[in-house]
Amino acid sequence: MATLKLDNVKKSFGKTDVIHGVSVDVEDGEFIVIVGPSGCGKSTLLRMVAGLETVTSGEVRINGKRVNDVEPMDRDIAMVFQNYALYPHMSVFDNMAYGLKIAKVPKPEIAERVQTAAKLLQLEPYLQRKPRELSGGQRQRVAMGRAIVRKPAVFLFDEPLSNLDAKLRVQMRLEIKALQRELGVTSLYVTHDQVEAMTLADRMIVMNAGVADQIGAPLDVYANPETEFVAGFIGSPPTNFIDAALVGGQSGRIGVRPEHIALSDTGLLTATVGYSEALGAETLVHLRTGDGAQITVRQDAALPIPGEGETRGLSWTDENVMRFDASGLRQH
Amino acid sequence: MAERNGMVEKRGSGLWLTHLGLIIGVAFIFFPIWLAFVASTVDQQDIVRPPMPLLPGDKFFENYGRALVSGVNAPVATMLWNSLVMALGIALGKIAISLLSAFAIVYFRFPGRKVFFWLIFLTLMLPVEVRIVPTFEVIANFGMLNSYSGLILPLIASATATFLFRQFFMTVPDELAEAARVDGAKPMRFFFDILLPMSRTNIAALFVILFIYGWNQYLWPLLITTDPEMNTIVMGIKQMFPSGDDFAHWPTIMATSILAMVPPVIVVIGMQKLFIRGLVESEK
């Protein structure tokens, strides 16, 4: 088991700075999810921990040991890749055993470790098959099995679920979480899907353009976003942003989550109803304010659905308002 | 559906025509080979006296036996062996060298990587015939005339194969190399454990092409082998032809020709299964 420490880690490709200094302390057994839109540097950050990218400046420490210049295999990590990266010509067993064979682990022990992992992942019937004879979910499991058998100090996941269909993704998400709990291995998980981040993470790192905008427990991040970007990125549908001047504020914008706005006859602001999406348990009403801003209101399905083109008032309570200054920072 | 049925019906009459065309084409190609076979099983007199026989005679074992054991200048068995060594040497050597150079070009960043690739690529434009005089000079100075290494080495570098493997390696996902790195595989281990097995269908296809290329070499062996013991079969056939007033024993020459065709045919048929199976299984 292990701790992982990133200390002001930076990365540049030539003159382009990709990561502008990320620091985080990961505790033993913690599940950290790095989430952000594509191009925010989250995969690069993970690959620096893996040793697949060099660290331009700063330090990566695994169990207190500086690993900046250590080869991936000697870092005591295991990685699950987005497209699984299984060796196509090897059986499932050989795929999982390959790393151990290179490490010259005795054969009986390899067999035993692979068997244990296969049992854990329900892969026992498929050990002699080739990857191409497996379904997407099974391949995903093999990729995880390959990571598990090595008994690494840190698991690294690079968008492992993005090649699966929606239903399987939810199922595998639960399995990954359960597995990580059971094994208690420190994990770093990269995703662009904020639902995955919310459900899996003990703590999450929200990345924006090479900067860690916020690090914290999912619900804390959701309730108290530090920046406008985090408020907009975490949560679906996203937070509504309204020009502060429209509601009697000064500069900057205010953010209100869709579930915190209610439709009323008179309100703090009026808006024209666009279309509504009835999802069964709830209804999403999309409106447009006078200055053209899009507002989404999430309301209970029992409430009446307003007709298109109607003008309605929007109301919310002050405690649910998040104020951001012009640079996007939260004002408390 | 109706339209599709119509198309099938229309094909019915066309099917016979295309088959007829193909059969005529096959017969056209096959007939000379058949004639050669027939000529290799009859007496010298039967060939010289028109019309040429169209059915095999009874001298099969006699003619082939004579060709294999004594031949005209050198026994065909010796020449077959020489050709086999040369063709195998060229095919395997080319594959080994081009695999390694493609591996270097695709997976390692070293100064001048692009330059080296284009230099290799440039040699595509220089066939053996163009550089044959300087190459001969080099081989002669190394004392490699009349030797297998002299036959094989100058023909072993291959831009075509390097290019082919480069293209294949570039389609292999980078993540596979990274996964191997995380698993602890050093570059050469990755090459032998992962890349080589994944390339085996390409290797099989190339082997067929290169074996035939090596087998059919004519000009180079003709230049550097003066000892009949080192003759290869393709040049050997030519040397059997009568020059001046010599008297040619055509049944032996024809038997030699037929024998010369056998190994490439075996290679094509034998390897065909392997690379067609490889092409059907898509694995990446």
Side-chain angles (χ1 to χ4, degrees), chain B residues 14-80:
Chain B
L15 198 68
W16 287 106
L17 264 177
T18 44
H19 270 79
L20 191 69
L22 288 172
I23 289 165
I24 291 173
V26 168
F28 195 72
I29 302 289
F30 185 70
F31 187 63
I33 299 172
W34 174 250
L35 272 191
F37 177 71
V38 169
S40 71
T41 58
V42 295
D43 247 340
Q44 171 83 344
Q45 279 74 31
D46 294 328
I47 297 179
V48 181
R49 183 186 59 231
M52 272 220 40
L54 288 176
L55 292 172
D58 54 357
K59 300 281 194 295
F60 178 87
F61 292 103
E62 194 186 325
N63 289 338
Y64 279 81
R66 180 164 45 209
L68 277 172
V69 176
S70 57
V72 177
N73 297 314
V76 172
T78 310
M79 295 198 286
L80 277 174

Side-chain angles (χ1 to χ4, degrees), chain B residues 5 14 43 46 72 145 165 184 188 209 211 252 255 258-260 270-271 283:
Chain B
N5 284 339
D43 247 340
D46 294 328
V72 177
L145 298 180
F165 283 126
M188 285 322 282
I209 295 166
F211 182 87
T252 314
I258 295 293
L259 283 171
M271 302 291 278
E283 40 177 13

Side-chain angles (χ1 to χ4, degrees), chain B residues 68-96:
Chain B
L68 277 172
V69 176
S70 57
V72 177
N73 297 314
V76 172
T78 310
M79 295 198 286
L80 277 174
W81 173 250
N82 291 340
S83 276
L84 190 71
V85 171
M86 176 163 115
L88 280 178
I90 289 174
L92 296 177
K94 265 180 189 269
I95 287 172

Side-chain angles (χ1 to χ4, degrees), chain A residues 30 197-198 201-206 213-227 230-231 234-235 257 322 324 330 332:
Chain A
E30 204 175 7
M198 293 292 291
D202 293 327
R203 278 193 298 158
M204 60 198 220
I205 303 175
V206 186
D213 261 20
Q214 190 168 359
I215 301 174
L219 288 177
D220 282 347
V221 174
Y222 185 83
N224 287 307
E226 290 293 333
T227 67
V230 175
I234 302 297
R257 295 226 176 252
M322 304 175 273
F324 300 99
R330 180 85 181 265
H332 289 285

